[in-house]
PDB file of all heavy atoms in Angstrom:
ATOM      1  N   LEU A 167      19.515  36.167  22.717  1.00 97.00           N
ATOM      2  CA  LEU A 167      19.937  37.127  23.740  1.00 97.00           C
ATOM      3  C   LEU A 167      18.839  37.959  24.308  1.00 97.00           C
ATOM      4  O   LEU A 167      18.999  38.831  25.136  1.00 97.00           O
ATOM      5  CB  LEU A 167      20.944  38.062  23.108  1.00 97.00           C
ATOM      6  CG  LEU A 167      22.208  37.426  22.586  1.00 97.00           C
ATOM      7  CD1 LEU A 167      23.126  38.415  21.824  1.00 97.00           C
ATOM      8  CD2 LEU A 167      23.026  36.767  23.679  1.00 97.00           C
ATOM      9  N   HIS A 203      27.217  33.418  34.365  1.00 98.00           N
ATOM     10  CA  HIS A 203      27.586  34.763  33.953  1.00 98.00           C
ATOM     11  C   HIS A 203      26.622  35.263  33.048  1.00 98.00           C
ATOM     12  O   HIS A 203      26.036  34.483  32.270  1.00 98.00           O
ATOM     13  CB  HIS A 203      28.991  34.792  33.326  1.00 98.00           C
ATOM     14  CG  HIS A 203      30.115  34.442  34.234  1.00 98.00           C
ATOM     15  ND1 HIS A 203      31.343  34.020  33.876  1.00 98.00           N
ATOM     16  CD2 HIS A 203      30.148  34.438  35.627  1.00 98.00           C
ATOM     17  CE1 HIS A 203      32.160  33.833  34.891  1.00 98.00           C
ATOM     18  NE2 HIS A 203      31.433  34.113  35.941  1.00 98.00           N
ATOM     19  N   TRP A 204      26.281  36.559  33.045  1.00 98.00           N
ATOM     20  CA  TRP A 204      25.149  37.099  32.382  1.00 98.00           C
ATOM     21  C   TRP A 204      25.549  38.153  31.256  1.00 98.00           C
ATOM     22  O   TRP A 204      26.571  38.754  31.384  1.00 98.00           O
ATOM     23  CB  TRP A 204      24.148  37.830  33.423  1.00 98.00           C
ATOM     24  CG  TRP A 204      23.858  36.890  34.527  1.00 98.00           C
ATOM     25  CD1 TRP A 204      24.506  36.740  35.643  1.00 98.00           C
ATOM     26  CD2 TRP A 204      22.806  36.006  34.620  1.00 98.00           C
ATOM     27  NE1 TRP A 204      24.019  35.801  36.444  1.00 98.00           N
ATOM     28  CE2 TRP A 204      22.869  35.277  35.884  1.00 98.00           C
ATOM     29  CE3 TRP A 204      21.722  35.631  33.711  1.00 98.00           C
ATOM     30  CZ2 TRP A 204      22.023  34.279  36.266  1.00 98.00           C
ATOM     31  CZ3 TRP A 204      20.856  34.701  34.167  1.00 98.00           C
ATOM     32  CH2 TRP A 204      20.966  33.975  35.348  1.00 98.00           C
ATOM     33  N   THR A 205      24.748  38.289  30.267  1.00 96.00           N
ATOM     34  CA  THR A 205      24.906  39.273  29.244  1.00 96.00           C
ATOM     35  C   THR A 205      24.311  40.583  29.658  1.00 96.00           C
ATOM     36  O   THR A 205      23.484  40.652  30.595  1.00 96.00           O
ATOM     37  CB  THR A 205      24.207  38.891  27.990  1.00 96.00           C
ATOM     38  OG1 THR A 205      22.824  38.845  28.163  1.00 96.00           O
ATOM     39  CG2 THR A 205      24.682  37.493  27.405  1.00 96.00           C
ATOM     40  N   ASP A 206      24.605  41.637  28.920  1.00 94.00           N
ATOM     41  CA  ASP A 206      24.037  42.986  29.247  1.00 94.00           C
ATOM     42  C   ASP A 206      22.529  42.915  29.019  1.00 94.00           C
ATOM     43  O   ASP A 206      21.773  43.733  29.641  1.00 94.00           O
ATOM     44  CB  ASP A 206      24.546  44.024  28.278  1.00 94.00           C
ATOM     45  CG  ASP A 206      25.998  44.232  28.517  1.00 94.00           C
ATOM     46  OD1 ASP A 206      26.528  43.859  29.558  1.00 94.00           O
ATOM     47  OD2 ASP A 206      26.728  44.797  27.536  1.00 94.00           O
ATOM     48  N   THR A 207      22.056  42.099  28.128  1.00 94.00           N
ATOM     49  CA  THR A 207      20.532  41.989  27.902  1.00 94.00           C
ATOM     50  C   THR A 207      19.851  41.237  29.037  1.00 94.00           C
ATOM     51  O   THR A 207      18.622  41.158  29.017  1.00 94.00           O
ATOM     52  CB  THR A 207      20.337  41.270  26.600  1.00 94.00           C
ATOM     53  OG1 THR A 207      20.915  39.937  26.646  1.00 94.00           O
ATOM     54  CG2 THR A 207      20.932  42.033  25.406  1.00 94.00           C
ATOM     55  N   GLY A 208      20.594  40.572  29.910  1.00 96.00           N
ATOM     56  CA  GLY A 208      19.899  39.893  31.051  1.00 96.00           C
ATOM     57  C   GLY A 208      19.678  38.385  30.926  1.00 96.00           C
ATOM     58  O   GLY A 208      18.988  37.818  31.690  1.00 96.00           O
ATOM     59  N   VAL A 209      20.366  37.813  29.936  1.00 97.00           N
ATOM     60  CA  VAL A 209      20.267  36.432  29.835  1.00 97.00           C
ATOM     61  C   VAL A 209      21.581  35.687  30.218  1.00 97.00           C
ATOM     62  O   VAL A 209      22.634  36.421  30.263  1.00 97.00           O
ATOM     63  CB  VAL A 209      19.816  35.820  28.420  1.00 97.00           C
ATOM     64  CG1 VAL A 209      18.498  36.392  27.986  1.00 97.00           C
ATOM     65  CG2 VAL A 209      20.903  36.127  27.400  1.00 97.00           C
ATOM     66  N   ASP A 210      21.562  34.468  30.589  1.00 98.00           N
ATOM     67  CA  ASP A 210      22.804  33.754  30.948  1.00 98.00           C
ATOM     68  C   ASP A 210      23.689  33.565  29.723  1.00 98.00           C
ATOM     69  O   ASP A 210      23.201  33.070  28.733  1.00 98.00           O
ATOM     70  CB  ASP A 210      22.514  32.441  31.645  1.00 98.00           C
ATOM     71  CG  ASP A 210      21.544  31.607  30.832  1.00 98.00           C
ATOM     72  OD1 ASP A 210      20.484  32.016  30.477  1.00 98.00           O
ATOM     73  OD2 ASP A 210      21.898  30.474  30.520  1.00 98.00           O
ATOM     74  N   ARG A 211      24.944  33.924  29.832  1.00 98.00           N
ATOM     75  CA  ARG A 211      25.897  33.764  28.691  1.00 98.00           C
ATOM     76  C   ARG A 211      26.647  32.394  28.846  1.00 98.00           C
ATOM     77  O   ARG A 211      26.861  31.700  27.875  1.00 98.00           O
ATOM     78  CB  ARG A 211      26.859  34.847  28.698  1.00 98.00           C
ATOM     79  CG  ARG A 211      27.948  34.764  27.549  1.00 98.00           C
ATOM     80  CD  ARG A 211      29.147  35.716  27.706  1.00 98.00           C
ATOM     81  NE  ARG A 211      28.801  37.059  27.611  1.00 98.00           N
ATOM     82  CZ  ARG A 211      28.968  37.931  28.598  1.00 98.00           C
ATOM     83  NH1 ARG A 211      29.526  37.569  29.702  1.00 98.00           N
ATOM     84  NH2 ARG A 211      28.682  39.181  28.472  1.00 98.00           N
ATOM     85  N   PHE A 231      27.484  30.763  25.366  1.00 98.00           N
ATOM     86  CA  PHE A 231      27.494  31.494  24.111  1.00 98.00           C
ATOM     87  C   PHE A 231      28.794  32.116  23.870  1.00 98.00           C
ATOM     88  O   PHE A 231      29.031  33.054  23.047  1.00 98.00           O
ATOM     89  CB  PHE A 231      26.403  32.690  24.235  1.00 98.00           C
ATOM     90  CG  PHE A 231      24.995  32.242  24.083  1.00 98.00           C
ATOM     91  CD1 PHE A 231      24.018  33.026  24.605  1.00 98.00           C
ATOM     92  CD2 PHE A 231      24.621  31.054  23.456  1.00 98.00           C
ATOM     93  CE1 PHE A 231      22.759  32.738  24.538  1.00 98.00           C
ATOM     94  CE2 PHE A 231      23.267  30.695  23.362  1.00 98.00           C
ATOM     95  CZ  PHE A 231      22.320  31.506  23.935  1.00 98.00           C
TER      96      PHE A 231
END
Side-chain angles (χ1 to χ4, degrees):
L167 299 175
H203 290 162
W204 307 89
T205 64
D206 295 344
T207 59
V209 300
D210 53 305
R211 179 196 294 119
F231 286 157

